[in-house]
Amino acid sequence: MFKKLLFLLLTQLLLVGCANSKDFVLYKNNSALPLIIAVTQHELKAAARFQQFFKIATGKNIEVKNNGTNNHERKNIALVIDRDINSDSFHIYTEESTLYIKAANLNGLLTGVSNFFSDYVGLTQFDTAKSFSSLTEIKVDQNLNYTTKYDFEYREPYFAQNFNPDFRYWNSTHSIEDKWALWGHNLVKAVKVTPQMLAKINGKTNDEQFDFSSKELEKALTEYISQKLEYDSDVNYFMIMPNDNDIVCLCDACKKEGNTENNASPAVFALLNRLADKFPQAVFFSSAYITTQTPPKTKLKANTGVMISTMSFPKGVIIEKSTKFASINRIFEDWKALTDKIYLWDYAINFDNYFEFYPTLLIQQQNLNYYKNKGVNGIFMHGSDEGSFTAFGDLKAYIYAKLFKDVKTDVEKEIKLFFIKEYPKTGTILSDYYLNAEQASYKSNKIIDIYGGIQQFKNKYLNLIDLNNLYNKISTLYSSASVEEQKKLNLVLASVSFQQLEIMRTNGVSENGYAVPTNGSSATINEQSTSALKSFKEYSTAGGINTYNEIGLLVSDYLKQWQNLLNQPYKNLLYGKALKALSKLDEDYPNIKVLNDGALGFTDYYNNWLIATIEPLKVEIAAQDIKEASWLEMHFLVDKKHRIYAPESIVLTLDGKPQEYKLKEDAFTGIQKIRVQVKIPKTTQSVILSVKKKPEFEKRAIACDEIIFN
């Protein structure tokens, strides 16, 4: 028995010895330091990055040799620009006494250096010399031979963080600036537009769209592309898209290509194919969006692809479990038959409310895996612009970067790591809250749009109790956090406070609203409203946040509207009373109770407004509910961007006798109120209130908020 145990022990020791003998020891404490071999200017820039990270990892300074000769007495790190490597890749391998990191260009080499330290040394983008414990040894497999292989070839988490080159090097992401010589609906920036380039419809020129069969347009694009490629051959992607509208050119040449009234794909992709033939070294894309959603009948060239917009896809749900799965599946299958280059333009935030958390990372992980399996090989994930703020945008940029490389990334593990590293004092609290929000969203099958009010998020995951607990826990630790963490917490606490305010505002006059009812028609302000407003003002100011959504609504205006709300306590004889809709309500706005629930609308159209597009609003009111009234007040929203206009007048009809009250002629955008003196006879049996549209705005929407009788 003893001999058998001794044999097993010796065998194990031999195996360990064999394993150790296969290690390539790059650095060992108290041994000779390795040398960096770099020659060209770009290689020397990468060498400086390697030195920086090596110092953080070991506390040691290493030298750079620029004569290109390896030192066989010491270990070497050779940083090499190699044009034979794919422009989006890097290659890390060992050979004799040298560790090689090679890439086709500087960006690739800097990314390769960052990935070496993250994947083989354990250094992360969050670490500093103070936070990282110095290593006594750095070793890799003696036979290390790694070339990048990611799940998606194009990877752009379009958040403020990704505009930082350092973030891109650590996370192997792309940016519009580094890759695209022409992007989005920007043809007008690439060519000097002439009448010959414009769309023709019924023989008339339309300056809102291009004629993609135009020889003049093709010639101008050819010149533009030649210049761009000559200037920088690595920035060689070109997006050729129609303008952002539903206009299609129907000139003879476009109709010959196959254009129809609603489909511009034939002419657009025919142009792309011609450009692809002229410039085989470039890559050309158009979008599957509005007039180019239908695939053309002609197969696309090898260096031509499509970027599919998910704008019409259901948001905040797993695609494979959605009711639109079959139709979405068909989209990918149809495009896959024409091209191997399928990119996706997807969306990651609520563009109507940058403070809303939009916790869909776990959901998107499932969707990204589905897209990958359907042949998608590039992702543009639309978040926030450079310099702008969106709640937890830093986290989302990081997690999406991980998912684009590997859709099977352990998302929960990475979320915890991110919060602990970036928020040392409050990270556990934040990760617990955010993961709970993610899990609640993941388990819910309710859709959350990328444009919309707070109610859909209340239905999905958001509740006031959890927000209150989160706020209290963070604010308790705020003063003991570092100055750097406090700066980040200012943004978090501003977001939490804003969500608290929005929940209370949309709850109206109710137990959990901004005010609580005191009798049948009056209300008193909820103290939490005042407290949350104070906090939001404090932290949004500290965080330097001036706007809170895509169209640029101002934080300062939001604060004023809240202050007005608190300064004028709600009073309404009609509060909570039954109303009957006599007009047909819109499918998306079926709740007539918003007209007298005390939840007042601000200048955002998506909260607390009843929007009517089908028929002008007409409601029946019980006469006994308003017999004591002497004043009628109504609120309307004017939002020209969203084609919402105030009515011409309101009409109060008592027992069949109409009284019309005209609104002032105002050209502004905002809230328009009308307050008129009324007399309701005690004998009144029938009360009907309606709005009358201006004739020129017959097809426009009207947004009405509160009907107030006092």
Side-chain angles (χ1 to χ4, degrees):
M1 181 69 179
F2 176 79
K3 289 182 177 179
K4 185 176 181 181
L5 289 172
L6 182 60
F7 173 78
L8 290 172
L9 180 60
L10 290 171
T11 302
Q12 191 70 19
L13 289 170
L14 285 170
L15 288 171
V16 171
C18 290
N20 289 339
S21 68
K22 291 182 179 179
D23 287 337
F24 178 95
V25 181
L26 182 67
Y27 160 76
K28 193 173 182 65
N29 196 25
N30 298 323
S31 297
L33 291 171
L35 292 171
I36 301 175
I37 311 299
V39 179
T40 69
Q41 184 180 2
H42 284 174
E43 291 168 356
L44 289 169
K45 284 185 177 180
R49 189 172 183 83
F50 198 102
Q51 285 179 303
Q52 174 193 351
F53 294 158
F54 192 88
K55 178 70 180 291
I56 294 173
T58 66
K60 308 288 185 181
N61 295 308
I62 55 174
E63 297 178 59
V64 177
K65 285 179 61 180
N66 61 0
N67 62 5
T69 304
N70 291 6
N71 185 327
H72 296 290
E73 296 178 1
R74 298 162 73 173
K75 292 293 172 62
N76 303 282
I77 303 107
L79 305 178
V80 182
I81 297 290
D82 183 350
R83 285 289 180 177
D84 290 333
I85 293 176
N86 184 290
S87 63
D88 289 323
S89 299
F90 57 82
H91 187 191
I92 303 176
Y93 66 97
T94 58
E95 188 176 282
E96 297 180 350
S97 61
T98 303
L99 170 77
Y100 287 90
I101 303 178
K102 293 184 176 182
N105 50 47
L106 175 60
N107 284 346
L109 201 55
L110 292 170
T111 302
V113 168
S114 302
N115 276 260
F116 171 76
F117 278 93
S118 64
D119 293 351
Y120 300 104
V121 180
L123 190 71
T124 72
Q125 63 198 72
F126 311 110
D127 291 317
T128 63
K130 289 183 179 180
S131 66
F132 192 82
S133 299
S134 293
L135 301 174
T136 58
E137 186 178 62
I138 296 175
K139 61 185 179 181
V140 297
D141 192 290
Q142 181 68 49
N143 300 314
L144 173 63
N145 188 0
Y146 173 75
T147 301
T148 48
K149 182 172 174 52
Y150 298 140
D151 283 341
F152 299 99
E153 69 177 30
Y154 185 80
R155 305 168 301 279
E156 181 165 4
Y158 188 79
F159 286 86
Q161 290 69 25
N162 195 61
F163 285 86
N164 183 346
D166 199 54
F167 178 92
R168 299 199 295 272
Y169 302 147
W170 274 114
N171 294 286
S172 303
T173 57
H174 299 102
S175 74
I176 294 170
E177 289 74 15
D178 287 343
K179 203 74 178 171
W180 297 85
L182 181 60
W183 170 262
H185 306 280
N186 286 314
L187 276 182
V188 68
K189 295 181 180 180
V191 301
K192 185 177 181 180
V193 180
T194 65
Q196 290 77 19
M197 299 178 187
L198 297 173
K200 285 84 179 174
I201 302 171
N202 297 325
K204 294 182 179 180
T205 299
N206 188 309
D207 61 5
E208 295 183 52
Q209 193 53 269
F210 285 96
D211 171 4
F212 287 91
S213 296
S214 164
K215 297 298 182 185
E216 288 80 1
L217 177 60
E218 184 174 343
K219 180 182 177 182
L221 281 172
T222 299
E223 292 174 358
Y224 175 83
I225 294 163
S226 296
Q227 292 171 3
K228 286 292 182 179
L229 293 175
E230 184 177 348
Y231 177 75
D232 190 344
S233 60
D234 286 331
V235 184
N236 63 338
Y237 278 50
F238 296 84
M239 180 77 75
I240 312 294
M241 291 174 65
N243 289 337
D244 193 1
N245 57 48
D246 59 1
I247 298 168
V248 177
C249 179
L250 293 174
C251 69
D252 291 341
C254 283
K255 286 196 288 187
K256 187 176 180 180
E257 290 287 1
N259 277 19
T260 64
E261 186 176 340
N262 301 310
N263 182 17
S265 291
V268 170
F269 284 96
L271 172 60
L272 258 65
N273 274 346
R274 293 194 297 274
L275 293 172
D277 278 337
K278 292 179 181 178
F279 301 99
Q281 74 275 39
V283 182
F284 297 91
F285 275 82
S286 193
S287 63
Y289 178 65
I290 307 183
T291 61
T292 51
Q293 291 186 76
T294 303
K297 294 179 180 179
T298 305
K299 196 171 179 66
L300 304 187
K301 300 292 182 179
N303 58 329
T304 302
V306 63
M307 182 168 279
I308 297 174
S309 168
T310 68
M311 183 64 77
S312 63
F313 294 10
K315 300 295 186 295
V317 293
I318 297 172
I319 294 296
E320 290 176 284
K321 295 181 180 179
S322 79
T323 57
K324 290 191 174 182
F325 172 61
S327 60
I328 292 171
N329 213 42
R330 173 57 59 187
I331 290 171
F332 290 109
E333 289 176 359
D334 289 347
W335 282 106
K336 185 64 178 173
L338 299 179
T339 179
D340 290 329
K341 285 193 174 297
I342 300 177
Y343 287 8
L344 206 70
W345 187 320
D346 207 353
Y347 305 88
I349 65 172
N350 177 5
F351 293 93
D352 274 334
N353 178 358
Y354 289 162
F355 292 114
E356 196 275 309
F357 305 137
Y358 211 80
T360 57
L361 293 172
L362 293 175
I363 292 167
Q364 285 287 59
Q365 181 177 34
Q366 300 299 311
N367 290 339
L368 287 168
N369 190 55
Y370 164 71
Y371 297 143
K372 174 193 168 188
N373 292 335
K374 297 307 294 184
V376 173
N377 41 31
I379 303 286
F380 174 81
M381 186 63 69
H382 198 155
S384 56
D385 292 325
E386 183 177 13
S388 67
F389 161 78
T390 184
F392 295 127
D394 50 357
L395 168 71
K396 292 176 183 179
Y398 172 72
I399 298 297
Y400 277 122
K402 292 287 184 184
L403 288 171
F404 295 164
K405 293 194 290 185
D406 179 9
V407 293
K408 298 189 184 303
T409 292
D410 187 336
V411 172
E412 294 195 16
K413 176 184 174 183
E414 294 294 342
I415 287 173
K416 290 177 182 178
L417 172 67
F418 176 88
F419 279 121
I420 291 300
K421 291 284 190 178
E422 287 289 270
Y423 301 82
K425 198 72 178 179
T426 58
T428 300
I429 295 167
L430 288 169
S431 64
D432 286 348
Y433 174 84
Y434 188 82
L435 281 170
N436 285 337
E438 282 281 346
Q439 290 289 354
S441 292
Y442 185 83
K443 292 173 184 176
S444 169
N445 62 0
K446 295 183 182 298
I447 290 173
I448 46 174
D449 291 326
I450 58 173
Y451 293 96
I454 202 74
Q455 187 60 50
Q456 59 179 336
F457 301 100
K458 288 159 66 175
N459 295 338
K460 184 82 167 176
Y461 78 94
L462 195 61
N463 69 78
L464 194 56
I465 293 174
D466 289 347
L467 284 174
N468 291 344
N469 290 336
L470 177 62
Y471 181 89
N472 292 336
K473 289 177 181 178
I474 296 175
S475 57
T476 300
L477 295 174
Y478 180 90
S479 60
S480 60
S482 68
V483 173
E484 191 61 33
E485 185 170 351
Q486 285 182 1
K487 290 179 182 178
K488 299 171 189 173
L489 289 176
N490 289 336
L491 305 178
V492 173
L493 289 170
S495 298
V496 174
S497 301
F498 188 88
Q499 302 299 75
Q500 290 173 316
L501 290 169
E502 288 296 89
I503 290 175
M504 289 186 285
R505 180 167 75 92
T506 53
N507 284 346
V509 176
S510 66
E511 184 179 352
N512 294 311
Y514 77 93
V516 293
T518 52
N519 58 45
S521 62
S522 299
T524 56
I525 299 300
N526 182 345
E527 289 183 4
Q528 189 182 352
S529 299
T530 306
S531 175
L533 186 64
K534 180 182 177 182
S535 296
F536 176 62
K537 182 178 182 179
E538 175 185 350
Y539 292 115
S540 61
T541 300
I545 307 171
N546 298 316
T547 60
Y548 63 93
N549 67 8
E550 185 182 55
I551 63 173
L553 291 183
L554 296 175
V555 168
S556 57
D557 287 344
Y558 181 82
L559 290 169
K560 289 176 186 176
Q561 290 174 88
W562 253 103
Q563 199 58 60
N564 290 338
L565 187 64
L566 299 181
N567 290 342
Q568 300 172 14
Y570 183 79
K571 186 177 181 181
N572 186 4
L573 292 172
L574 200 57
Y575 166 71
K577 301 294 174 60
L579 300 175
K580 182 180 179 181
L582 300 180
S583 56
K584 187 175 182 180
L585 301 179
D586 287 30
E587 182 180 358
D588 293 335
Y589 296 91
N591 184 16
I592 199 168
K593 293 180 180 180
V594 302
L595 294 175
N596 63 336
D597 61 355
L600 300 184
F602 285 3
T603 49
D604 53 349
Y605 72 92
Y606 40 82
N607 286 314
N608 295 348
W609 294 99
L610 184 70
I611 298 179
T613 61
I614 300 173
E615 293 180 0
L617 183 66
K618 188 176 185 179
V619 298
E620 184 177 5
I621 301 168
Q624 65 269 21
D625 292 335
I626 58 170
K627 282 186 177 177
E628 298 177 10
S630 55
W631 291 94
L632 164 62
E633 183 176 329
M634 291 183 73
H635 302 171
F636 299 97
L637 179 65
V638 179
D639 183 348
K640 296 173 184 177
K641 179 178 176 62
H642 296 98
R643 298 185 176 184
I644 299 172
Y645 291 82
E648 181 179 38
S649 61
I650 62 173
V651 181
L652 181 65
T653 303
L654 305 176
D655 291 334
K657 298 177 181 178
Q659 303 172 41
E660 185 172 356
Y661 305 94
K662 288 189 177 292
L663 276 74
K664 292 181 180 179
E665 289 286 345
D666 283 320
F668 74 102
T669 292
I671 298 171
Q672 189 166 356
K673 298 180 181 180
I674 180 171
R675 189 169 188 266
V676 295
Q677 196 166 10
V678 296
K679 184 176 182 180
I680 315 293
K682 293 182 179 181
T683 57
T684 301
Q685 298 295 313
S686 169
V687 179
I688 295 174
L689 183 61
S690 59
V691 302
K692 183 178 177 182
K693 284 187 176 183
K694 297 177 182 178
E696 64 268 30
F697 295 152
E698 196 61 36
K699 294 183 179 180
R700 305 293 173 85
I702 287 180
C704 180
D705 172 28
E706 210 71 4
I707 300 174
I708 299 173
F709 280 94
N710 279 314

